[in-house]
Amino acid sequence: TNELEPTPPAPPRASITDVVPRRTLLIVAVGIALAVIATVLAITLSGDDSQDSGKGTGTAAGSAKGSGTASGSDDHPNQGGSQPADPSASAGQDDSQGSGDEDKGKGKGKDGNDDSGKGDRRLPAGFAVLKGGDHHFTIALPKGWTPHSIPNYGGGRIYRGGSDFPRVQVDYNSSPKSDAAAAWRSAAPGAARTMPGYRGLGIRTVEWRGYDTVADWSFERRQNGTTVRVLNRGFKTDDTHGYAIMITCEKDKWDEKECRTLRQTAFKTFRPTD
């Protein structure tokens, strides 16, 4: 009878890492800890992007909710790459010198309007203002640039022209934390592990427009087969608006006029819209 038959042992419960990839767990953990800006996810996903359909006007409308891992580009974090010898020494420390060419802002109010340009009259030749749609911002970028979605990530958009670089990525988070520099320092070790060719160039707190917390994270990486340099400015404009402006240029072209003008104009013209 059934009473005489031994009860089969319950199958062992699978480890969470057997069910969910370790990298996904890392991303989830980082996303929970670093609510200041969701860019920490998008950085690792931004090697492969696709143009938004129906966005020919340059307006980044609708974003999918949620996050995950992106599939396949030649520099996807899962595909390895060289790493710095000591990422904490380079990426986790303040760089008080900075690069010296970013807009520091002189705004007295938290809306940053004091240092704004007044319409297209103040924009460099060849630039135009783009709207970030439901990501709640406007920014001036080169004419002809269009928004590109990031696979499996709805927190931001990549803006670029006909080539991979230069590019600007803008991310938005409605639940920012109070210390942007601390968030970047927490993110840097994960970036060193997952970004091919990552080399930290410094994380520093900056004064910009009177915002409560602003921090610049500078680093190099291999992306789409190219060595690039990145300046990622994270900031909180109020309790419900956190942003990051991530500017990427080819490393060898970082100090050339095109990239320098792009950085200065993006920082000077960025505006939260509500």
Side-chain angles (χ1 to χ4, degrees), residues 47-48 71-81 164-165 196 221-226:
D48 184 20
S71 60
S73 70
D74 62 345
D75 68 339
H76 191 277
N78 276 344
Q79 295 178 338
D164 286 339
F165 309 106
R221 65 173 291 188
R222 291 282 296 174
Q223 188 170 3
N224 295 351
T226 301

Side-chain angles (χ1 to χ4, degrees), residues 101-244:
D101 60 356
E102 301 85 6
D103 171 52
K104 303 301 187 298
K106 301 298 182 182
K108 297 178 181 179
K110 291 189 177 183
D111 61 0
N113 287 332
D114 296 308
D115 63 356
S116 65
K118 296 182 179 180
D120 288 344
R121 292 175 299 172
R122 298 288 299 274
L123 297 180
F127 279 71
V129 174
L130 300 180
K131 297 180 180 179
D134 61 354
H135 292 123
H136 309 281
F137 70 89
T138 61
I139 192 170
L141 296 172
K143 292 179 180 178
W145 279 28
T146 53
H148 298 253
S149 60
I150 305 168
N152 301 309
Y153 176 74
R157 289 288 186 273
I158 294 169
Y159 297 83
R160 59 179 175 82
S163 58
D164 286 339
F165 309 106
R167 62 170 62 187
V168 174
Q169 180 173 320
V170 182
D171 294 274
Y172 165 73
N173 180 18
S174 61
S175 302
K177 294 294 184 181
S178 60
D179 190 337
W184 284 159
R185 291 190 187 98
S186 296
R193 289 192 297 270
T194 58
M195 291 184 191
Y198 176 88
R199 185 170 79 91
L201 301 177
I203 293 172
R204 64 190 183 100
T205 299
V206 297
E207 296 293 330
W208 189 53
R209 297 185 174 186
Y211 292 147
D212 288 341
T213 181
V214 186
D216 284 354
W217 179 11
S218 299
F219 57 89
E220 295 173 1
R221 65 173 291 188
R222 291 282 296 174
Q223 188 170 3
N224 295 351
T226 301
T227 299
V228 297
R229 180 169 170 177
V230 179
L231 174 60
N232 195 9
R233 175 168 291 183
F235 53 99
K236 170 185 174 181
T237 64
D238 58 39
D239 289 342
T240 58
H241 293 76
Y243 298 90

